[in-house]
Amino acid sequence: MNSAFTASPFVGKTFGVTVSRLHKSFGRATVLTDINLDVKPGEIFCIMGPSGSGKSVLLKHIAGLETATSGEVRIGEFDAADPETRNKIHLALVFQAGALFSSLSVYDNLALYPREHRQGNEAGIRERVMHALSILSLEKAVHKFPSDLSGGMKKRVAIARALVMEPQLLLYDEPTSELDPVMSATLTEIIATLREQTAVTSIVVTHDRDLAFNIADRLAFVMDGRIRGLGLPADFKSPADPVIANFLNPVIDLKNPRFKQLENHHE
Amino acid sequence: MNLPTAILSHIGGTLLLLVRTLKYLPTLPRQFPRFMEHCYLIGYTSLPIVTILSFFIGSVLALQSGYSMENFGAKQFIGTLVGLTMARELGPVMVAILITGRVGSAVTAELASMKVYQEIDALVTMNIPPERMLVLPRLAAVLVMMPVLAIIANLCGWYGGALVCQYTHFISVDSEAYFSALKLYMKPRDIVDGLIKAEFFGFVIMLVCCYIGLNTRGGPREIGASVTKAVVTSLILILVLDYFVTKALLFT
């Protein structure tokens, strides 16, 4: 797979991300509270945490898909919530379920961005699309439709679509969820190698411990909408915080199962 | 949110969608293939059902009016009655109702599904405004196809009426007399008014269906709820606006 990364599909500079005092509420439910982050240009930054902790909502704020209740997110010097920002930087988000356009073939999914932004003629676009597909070993899927693809292939097509956009900031939402261990390892390699080859800033939301420890330059641990831990992967190998330790190294106790404790707690 | 506030909020949201869409009007020429695809879906694929239904509406109109008008010897005016009713009222309204059920529901389902499965979010992150790619070509296509469908509906209704008048024993008005009466009391303005109504209804249906589809929240179940909401809202709007548009056209 790595040998395929012979030429960078990216152009231009990459951007850091600054999140300052971010709060987000949906009605009465507070989802994010006082989030502060500083992701440096070229860094792979992983946001970890249990399901429902607010990681994906945080990522949506960075992508400009959600508006903060208070606080702000800046990509370089630009406000992430300002729609004009997307005219100034190339931002790509790899969605958890791929979010491929179901009515378009794999080729047309990838060609949509350069066509809509009039980036070259059809021959040039074809070359760009085929290059991105070759990077992810997807040449044989070019004429297929998303409904014909497996979960792993959908994620690879979604990454290929992001590559065609020549992103200056690459966001991943749970890239390895619902994948088998081999495909998870492959995607981990793809994310790391893309950064190595292109130096693009990558923010990865995940609860996959192996993915985070293998690729992250730095990690943030989000719990109940707050940053509970922030540091290097080495700092999380044996964390002092028992909540983080329990998440990263859960102990399976069949005599006193967790769900029974939850039942008692709710009662 | 109480009902009046919710209604105002939806009206505001729909108008905002229209303003955002019109901003991309200059991009329409380069979206010609997409526009043609929607013309095909709205116009060509609706043609059989529009033809059949309008033919039978014209037929039943002739049958009912023949039965009633026989009593006071006004059978020779059936052509006028069918002609005017089809052109001014039933043609545009029936086409609008058919387009709501056939096209509006499909548009809402497609956009709602794209919203629920994050395809709309993907478009936004790709800096491709959904209004430009999804709403504008559909609005343009419906504006082009509605008058075409209304004209076809009028013609089929008129001919359906003519056939019934000729071959129903208690009416027995031949086609020549039927069409003479139709031409005698109908003005071009009557047909134009009907086409204006069809245009207006098509525009409202498409805008409402796009708005409801794009504002779907939640999971797959909400797709069905959005389709129901879009169809019901469109039908109510067609019939309520019909009164006001007709009144406006009659007095201008």
Side-chain angles (χ1 to χ4, degrees), chain A residues 60 63 65 86-87 91 93 95 99-102 109 112-113 116-118 161 165, chain B residues 30-31 34 110 113-114 117-128 132-133:
Chain A
K60 281 188 172 180
L65 294 172
R86 288 189 280 271
N87 290 327
L91 179 151
L93 170 56
F95 288 85
L100 301 176
F101 303 111
S102 51
N109 260 282
L112 183 67
Y113 180 85
E116 285 293 316
H117 292 279
R118 296 162 135 184
R161 186 173 69 179
M165 292 170 67
Chain B
R30 69 182 170 97
Q31 299 202 65
R34 215 170 269 150
E110 185 182 346
S113 162
M114 288 181 78
Y117 295 108
Q118 294 187 302
E119 291 177 34
I120 302 290
D121 284 348
L123 280 179
V124 173
T125 56
M126 291 165 86
N127 199 19
I128 302 170
R132 186 181 81 196
M133 185 178 147

Side-chain angles (χ1 to χ4, degrees), chain B residues 102-186:
Chain B
R102 215 188 157 280
V103 178
S105 58
V107 166
T108 308
E110 185 182 346
L111 299 189
S113 162
M114 288 181 78
K115 179 76 179 173
V116 166
Y117 295 108
Q118 294 187 302
E119 291 177 34
I120 302 290
D121 284 348
L123 280 179
V124 173
T125 56
M126 291 165 86
N127 199 19
I128 302 170
E131 297 88 356
R132 186 181 81 196
M133 185 178 147
L134 302 172
V135 184
L136 183 63
R138 285 179 167 91
L139 266 184
V142 86
L143 287 177
V144 170
M145 294 321 295
M146 280 301 279
V148 175
L149 289 173
I151 288 171
I152 291 167
N154 289 345
L155 289 173
C156 292
W158 293 343
Y159 278 98
L163 271 177
V164 167
C165 286
Q166 180 139 19
Y167 294 108
T168 306
H169 71 278
F170 67 84
I171 303 177
S172 294
V173 173
D174 65 39
S175 297
E176 206 175 319
Y178 173 91
F179 280 112
S180 298
L182 190 146
K183 277 188 267 182
L184 192 62
Y185 293 101
M186 264 188 78

